[in-house]
Structures are given as C-alpha cells and as structure tokens.
Amino acid sequence: MTKLPLGLSAAVLVFGWVLAALPVHAAEAAAGSDVFKSECAECHSIREGRNKKGPSLFGIVGRKAATLPDYSYSDALRGRNDWVWTPEKLRSYLSQPARQADPGTKMKYDGLTDAKDLDDLISYLGTLH
Amino acid sequence: MSSFPHRWANLRSGIVTLYCSLAALLLFASTAAHAIPVYARQTGSACADCHAGAYGGGGNGPNLTPYGMRFKLNGYTDTDGNGGKIPVSAQLVETHTAPARGESSMNLTEADLYLAGRLTDQVGGYVKVEADRVGHNTYNTKLRNVDLRFVARELKLGGKDLTLGVSVNNSPSFDDPIAVLPAATNLGPPGGQGPTGTFLKLSSANAPAYRVIGATVYGLYDSDWYGEVGTYNSLPTSTQDHLGYSISGDPGKIGDTGYFRFAYMKDLKRQFFSVGVVGLTTRRQLQRRGSSDKLTDLGYDLTYQFLGNRENIVQLSYVNILEKRRYGSTPPDPGTPGFTALPRGALHDETLSVTYTFRQSYGLQLAHLESNGTRDAVRFGPYGNPDTTANLLSVFWAPFGKDDSFTSVANMKIAATWFRFTRFNGATNNIFGAPPGVSTTRPADLDAFLVSASLAF
C-alpha cells in the first residue's frame, strides 16, 4: 500500500472536514435566518448602513462594540470599550435579558433561551459579510 | 304594525341616500391606509415590520404585528436616533367601482395628507386629513382620525415594566393597540336606516367616529396586560360641519360617557394571541334636545396570529359587541294608531376576519359581518328588523415596504375587494319594503366590486 505524503494527508483531512462541515453550517445558517426574522429583524437590518431602532448587523461578528459611525449608541454600550462581538460574546449577550447583560442599554430583549436557536442565529450572523 | 305603503313612502326618499352612503362606506373600508411612510422614515423600519402586509395591513384594517402594537403603544415616538425627518406623508387612491346595480366608474377617489410621528421622546401622533371624491371633480375635505399621545416609558411597578400614556383622539377604540375593534379596522356590519348598529361600530349611522373628542389614559404592564379608561364628548354640529362632516350624521349630544378596554396580549415571537373586553356607556340625545337614550356597549374580542419567519402569516380576529339601549322616549307608530316604539332594545354586532399574507406582499382576507337586534316596528324600517349580514373578500399586492425593497420613501398597493350582502333590513328580498307593482331591491343589489391602486409617499 502506497503511503501518502504527510502534507497531502493533512490537506485531504482538512478538505474532508470542510466538506463535511459546510452543509452543517449552511443548514444552521438557514435556520438562523428564520430565527433572525422572528427575533431580531424588527429592530435590526442586515443591510450595510441601514439602522433601525437598533444598528445594522451587517458584519457584526468580529466587530468592536458601538463602532458604527452613523448610529446613536447608548452611553452604556459606548462605555464597553473592551467588547468585541465574537461568537462567544454574542452567545453570552443574547442568552440573557439585554438589560442584564448591559445595564443601561437601549436594547429591549428578553434573551434567547433555546440553545439550538442561539447557535443557529450566531451561525447566520457570521454569514453577514 | 304599520302598512307597507306607508313605510314605503317614508323610506323611498332615503334609499338613494342610503345607496350613496353605503358606497362611500365600502369604498372607505377598502382603501383606508394605516401604515404611512413617515413612520418608516422615522424608525428606519420597513412598513412590513409593523404590519403583516407591506402596505399597512391587508385588504382592510392595519393588521398590526406585535411590533406594530408596541410602536402604537409607545405613542408613535420610536426612532432610529437620527432626527430631521419631516413628519408628513400623502396618499392617492384611484378606484374602479363596479356596483351590482348602477354604473361602473373609475376615479381618483381619495387624496390624503398625514401629519404623523414623534414630536419629542414622549409626544407623538397620527392625524389624517382626507379629501374624498363626492362628484365630478368635486372633493370633500375632512379631518379623519386624530390620535395625539403622551407616553411615559421605562417605568417600573413591582419590578415589572410599565408604560403609561394619554391619548387624545376622536374615535373610540381607534387608538387600541391590538387594532381589531371596529374603529381601528374600518370593518363592521353595514346597517340599514337609523342607528341600527352599536355605538362602537364605525359603520353605524350616527356613529361617533370623527365627530367626538375624548381622552383616554392607558397602561401596559409587564408587556402583556393592557388597560385603558377614558371619556368622550360629541363636537358641536357647527364644528362637525367645519371639519367636513354632514350634520345628518351627527351622533347627537352625548354625556356621562365612559370607555374602557382591558386585554391580555401575549407575544410569542412566532405567534401572538390576545383576549380583550371593551365597554362604552353614554347618554345620547340623538336630536340634541329632549329625552336621552342610555346606551351601554359591552364586547369581547379574540385574536391569534401565526407569524413564523414572516413568509406565511395568518391572522384571525373575532369581535362580538352587545349594546343595550334604554330609550328616553317611545314615539308612536305614525302608520298604526295605538302602537309605540319599545322602551328598550339590544343590538349585537359580530365580525370574524381571517387574513393570509404571503411574503408580506400578497394577501387574501375573508370577513363575515353580522348585525342583529331587537325587533322594533317603529324604530327600524321597513320591517322593524335591523338585521344585516354581509361578507367581504379582498386580495392585495404590496410590492414595496419591506426591508429589501429598493425604497422606503414610497409604497404602493393594488387591491380588489368584493362586498356581498345576504340580508339587509332583516330581509332577504325586497329589502326596502317596496309595495306591489314597484321594482324591489334584493340584498345582492347592494354588492360591489372594487379595484383600487394606492400610492403613498
């Protein structure tokens, strides 16, 4: 039996993992789109530059908190200089009432307690680039 | 009982007027707009965020989503944080009307001006000025709905959220957040001559809508419990005239008027339901002098919405209002000596509506409208029976007004609406009591088909 070079084996492994993971993420993101429409879309747009009561969520994952130039953030959120909306931070923030996560925020949200819905939503938010 | 020929003589002159008022009423019901682009500009939201259909509801009524209810409760003051929005919108409506009896027509039937939106964080409103076509190149301008609000938010009671507000408005129940009561939907069983419907019903003759002024205090507790109390007074007839309304529709002089509304409303994000009660009591001098009638309305309403991911929205509503009347006088029957009107009576209005909206652009609404009342040979002509049954079917297309629409500055709706009557004046044939030898009118002769194109900006 011919052995594959180590580099090629690793590439095959990564490619296979990506292939296997892609449909899962696509399905999660599709489900997350529905979660977004029922939980978030009234106050947030996914269009770049379009703010509603809440700021645009285009490019939210990885963005530093309170940094959209044309949105009027609460003082509370502007004070969170060290917050970056990583998937982990979003999970923590969205899993509880917004005013508990960030006292003084303008955001009125009771939190998303369904773990799968939350995972799907964060997967979907990650596609908004 | 009085003779048919006598009643026919009394009724004949009113029939033409009745036809005209019915046509106007149906037209109004089919074209009324509730969503206005000024709110979209103010909030950055799409019309479809607050309404199931992207042009302010379905065929009739605002069809508010829970988010739209909160916007109304917050006094129309929500904003995207950027000022400088002009609080003015306009609407034009072109309508093709095809009545079952009479000539079809196509005209610019309505032009509206809205002054609406927030003044401050706590003060906002909705004011509609409407010009209706009443003849060849002739329009009658009138002040329609007024709803001016002061709201205090972010309050706490027992650790729960509390919103308190005051609404100054000119139509009892128009300001209701669930917006399925008669004044908010423009839906109501059409009635015959005289005040044959409940006082709360917008389509009743001598209804209070637009001809009264009142104030209510409301509160929303813990996001779910809504309560409202208030009072109204009718405007002087001279003021009604100045505001564009014929004195013949005067609701009369009303006093000791109390209004209340309580509801439990639950927003489950993908679904919504509500259970509510409404009441109004007043003393009315219909002729503004003499004895007064005591009217007591008590009703309940049930609603359910399936919202899901907003692709397929189904909204159901059922409204049931009972009115007890204690008349201040019992006039004699002019056609039958010795007979008088009854001292008491009851009227009962029911409305069932189902609306399906696909992608917030295509919609279908079905409604069943029914009105029943105590038989009274003197008060209700020609048979002494005020019962009316009608149905409405409406389809609409609203291509804009959504998040992904290319413009939020303007909106458009094309709608087709069919009204069908199966009972009128308690009769299923010869509804105006024409004597033998005179052509009769069937309920179906009141049917109408309308196609309208509405443009708002």
Side-chain angles (χ1 to χ4, degrees), chain B residues 39 94 167 214 293 343 374 398 425 455:
Chain B
Y39 288 149
E94 177 91 8
S167 165
D293 303 330
T374 307
N425 283 336
L455 179 67

Side-chain angles (χ1 to χ4, degrees), chain A residues 34-35 37-39 41-43 47 50-53 70-71 99 108 117, chain B residues 43-46 49 67 70 78-80 154 269-270 308-310 403 405:
Chain A
D34 285 350
V35 176
K37 287 172 184 168
S38 60
E39 298 282 335
E42 289 159 341
C43 294
R47 288 173 63 177
R50 178 165 182 177
N51 300 319
K52 295 185 172 181
K53 278 177 74 176
D70 54 350
Y71 183 76
R99 292 188 174 182
K108 292 176 182 172
D117 281 356
Chain B
T43 60
S45 295
D49 287 333
Y67 184 75
R70 288 194 289 275
D78 291 343
T79 172
D80 63 359
E154 320 276 323
K269 300 290 185 184
R270 294 175 174 86
N309 63 4
R310 276 56 172 176
D403 251 352
S405 299

